[in-house]
Amino acid sequence: MTDRDDELRRNLGWTGPEETDYEPSAAEPEPTSPPTRAVPPRPPVDYLPPSNPPSAPDPRDEDPGPTIEVGRPPIVPTAEAGAPRQFREPERPGGSFRQPPPRYGPPPGTPRDTGPLPPSVRGDSAPWNQQPERQPPRPQRPPIPGGPAPEPSTQPWTPGGYAPNHQTGQPPSGSYAERIRADELVPLRRVAPGRGWRLALFKATFGLVNLGQSPDEILQAQLEAKIRSGLRGHFKVGVMGKGGVGKTTVSASIGSVFAELRQDDRVVAIDADTAFGKLGSRVDPRAQGSYWELAGDQHLETFADIRTRVGNNSAGLFVLAGEGTPARRRVLDPAIYREATSRLDRYFTISIVDCSSTMDTPVTQEVLRDLDAMVVVSSPWVDGAAAAGQTLDWLAARGLTALLQRTVIVLNDSDGHADKRTRSILAQQFSSQGQVVVEVPFDGHLRPGGVIDRTGEMSAATRRRFIEIAAALAEYYPTHDDRNRDRY
């Protein structure tokens, strides 16, 4: 080994024995693949270069001759490779020699105190019960060059992301059963139309094309749902009006609508007209009972006992008739009326009272004390509208303003000769005072003298108007227990 090699060894920090003199052996075969460029090893972390490296002549200034790599035999040209070509590796900081592989041991320079070495646990020197040292945590993967370092996640693991607020261990607020709603899971089925061209199309396609109900059918369904809404206690409606405007017909029709749509409740129509009212004959001509029989019977303990004293029609409306025979000359007084209606209240929920056309009678005064709502019937003519206006003025003069606010005005066309313009003007005048106004068209089935058996026999327009009247009255259903009734 020459002095030049020793100088290069000192410059490169070689710490091996000096007598090592490795020469490449020509006997070792080399694959014919092109040589790969070796990546120089990274110096140790605690490597300290010498403070004053000795000056050495730059080997690049001299002609080193042919370049020979240490540890690599010269490339022998073959027939397949063709003619040899000149190859020379790029210049390295240490000259033309390849850097030797790293050797164990401290680098040259002043050694540093790294502390005592850990005891060896290899072989038979380590006791059997000694646990091996816990390895330090594996360092995190280095960040991607050019991007921000990932921050460690502090959120707990969520299975599938369905935990409430993405936090596990906290129960959801409310009931689990309330969160499962059938209307969100089960697809809605359209109700089949009941009339019109939608029904014809539904039948022609054997139910395959169902466009649902028309807007008019939907509105009527909402009105019927309003009539079927819940109420507490009893609900009593009085019907007043001038004679000949259809007051009894309207009473029987409203009662029949309530009886058909509220089949869970019993509905009764009461004839309180002292001038020989005809309500019993319009509902059930075979009714035999009256106020006096009902008030005088001391053995009314069940509904079957009451059933023998009242009549009924096919719609389910019961009726307590007045005095039907003028020869008896029995006059209805407030005491008889109060006793009879108190017994009816035990078994009937809704009562429709057909009042007298004379408002100053004692019976009418007793009726008004116990009403939840009122219906004032008027004809679509000037004289009938004037009589209805006088009735409203009389109620206001008696201080019945609360009952006046719960009043519905009915413009009943009983003969079919009403003028459309007159009806619209009267409806506008009554509604300007805050009352609900409903116009009932002429219907031949409701002529005086006929029996109102069921609402299905009415025309569609007439039945719709009576449903609107009943829905307007349903706005005043009592919502609390009314055992101690004190209306006015």
Side-chain angles (χ1 to χ4, degrees):
M1 180 177 296
T2 61
D3 295 339
R4 180 172 174 268
D5 296 333
D6 293 339
E7 186 68 16
L8 290 176
R9 289 162 58 89
R10 285 193 299 271
N11 292 339
L12 296 175
W14 178 261
T15 58
E18 294 183 0
E19 61 271 10
T20 301
D21 189 9
Y22 177 79
E23 292 295 338
S25 175
E28 296 179 1
E30 175 91 359
T32 58
S33 60
T36 59
R37 180 179 179 181
V39 180
R42 182 180 296 179
V45 178
D46 52 355
Y47 171 73
L48 297 176
S51 58
N52 295 321
S55 59
D58 191 356
R60 290 176 295 182
D61 298 338
E62 301 177 2
D63 186 9
T67 303
I68 301 176
E69 296 183 2
V70 178
R72 183 183 299 273
I75 300 177
V76 180
T78 59
E80 290 81 7
R85 61 189 182 93
Q86 297 295 331
F87 174 80
R88 182 171 184 151
E89 292 185 356
E91 297 292 339
R92 295 185 178 89
S96 60
F97 287 90
R98 183 184 301 276
Q99 294 185 3
R103 295 299 184 101
Y104 295 99
T110 304
R112 294 183 298 176
D113 186 8
T114 58
L117 296 175
S120 174
V121 293
R122 290 184 177 181
D124 300 334
S125 62
W128 289 98
N129 58 356
Q130 182 176 356
Q131 299 291 337
E133 289 188 7
R134 185 179 299 275
Q135 297 295 332
R138 181 176 297 179
Q140 297 182 358
R141 181 177 298 179
I144 301 176
E151 297 183 359
S153 176
T154 58
Q155 297 293 336
W157 175 76
T158 302
Y162 293 100
N165 299 329
H166 300 284
Q167 295 181 0
T168 57
Q170 297 183 2
S173 59
S175 173
Y176 287 95
E178 294 178 356
R179 292 174 177 270
I180 303 175
R181 301 180 57 182
D183 55 351
E184 297 179 355
L185 301 177
V186 181
L188 297 179
R189 297 181 59 185
R190 290 184 176 180
V191 181
R195 59 177 182 267
W197 62 270
R198 296 170 181 261
L199 178 60
L201 180 62
F202 180 78
K203 292 182 177 181
T205 58
F206 299 97
L208 297 178
V209 178
N210 184 9
L211 300 180
Q213 295 179 325
S214 63
D216 186 71
E217 290 180 291
I218 295 175
L219 178 58
Q220 181 169 339
Q222 294 175 354
L223 295 175
E224 295 179 357
K226 182 63 179 178
I227 298 173
R228 295 190 181 100
S229 60
L231 64 88
R232 294 285 305 274
H234 302 85
F235 183 61
K236 292 188 176 183
V237 179
V239 182
M240 300 185 67
K242 177 186 174 182
V245 296
K247 174 175 59 66
T248 302
T249 301
V250 172
S251 300
S253 300
I254 295 176
S256 298
V257 170
F258 275 112
E260 284 187 352
L261 298 182
R262 297 189 64 92
Q263 297 183 3
D264 294 337
D265 299 320
R266 297 190 181 104
V267 184
V268 60
I270 302 174
D271 191 353
D273 193 350
T274 57
F276 305 104
K278 301 299 181 181
L279 181 61
S281 62
R282 298 301 305 271
V283 177
D284 187 4
R286 299 170 298 175
Q288 301 296 328
S290 62
Y291 283 95
W292 292 267
E293 287 78 14
L294 183 61
D297 194 345
Q298 301 300 324
H299 302 284
L300 299 177
E301 298 178 356
T302 63
F303 178 73
D305 299 332
I306 294 289
R307 181 70 181 80
T308 61
R309 301 300 182 182
V310 295
N312 69 294
N313 63 359
S314 300
L317 174 65
F318 295 89
V319 60
L320 177 61
E323 186 61 67
T325 304
R328 295 182 181 181
R329 306 298 295 177
R330 293 186 297 186
V331 180
L332 181 62
D333 57 14
I336 297 297
Y337 172 83
R338 190 182 306 112
E339 179 65 22
T341 54
S342 64
R343 295 189 177 191
L344 292 176
D345 289 343
R346 301 174 188 175
Y347 306 98
F348 293 92
T349 305
I350 300 177
S351 301
I352 308 297
V353 183
D354 184 11
C355 301
S356 176
S357 57
T358 305
M359 295 174 292
D360 293 336
T361 60
V363 176
T364 304
Q365 298 289 334
E366 183 66 25
V367 171
L368 294 177
R369 291 183 62 255
D370 198 26
L371 294 181
D372 295 283
M374 177 174 286
V375 176
V376 176
V377 184
S378 171
S379 63
W381 302 103
V382 178
D383 54 348
Q390 292 175 0
T391 302
L392 298 177
D393 294 338
W394 184 87
L395 294 174
R398 296 301 186 275
L400 303 178
T401 55
L403 183 59
L404 190 61
Q405 295 175 357
R406 303 191 299 269
T407 300
V408 178
I409 308 298
V410 177
L411 297 179
N412 182 34
D413 186 5
S414 57
D415 55 4
H417 299 289
D419 185 11
K420 183 177 180 180
R421 175 177 175 276
T422 304
R423 292 201 311 264
S424 62
I425 293 176
L426 292 176
Q428 183 179 2
Q429 291 177 353
F430 281 118
S431 61
S432 63
Q433 302 298 325
Q435 279 77 27
V436 179
V437 181
V438 180
E439 302 179 26
V440 178
F442 171 76
D443 192 346
H445 177 71
L446 301 179
R447 287 180 177 178
V451 178
I452 303 176
D453 199 28
R454 61 175 61 91
T455 62
E457 297 177 354
M458 304 177 185
S459 63
T462 302
R463 186 178 184 273
R464 174 62 176 273
R465 295 299 180 269
F466 281 114
I467 290 178
E468 293 177 359
I469 295 172
L473 294 173
E475 294 287 344
Y476 312 117
Y477 280 164
T479 57
H480 59 280
D481 194 1
D482 59 348
R483 288 183 175 89
N484 298 325
R485 296 177 63 87
D486 187 11
R487 292 294 183 261
Y488 265 121

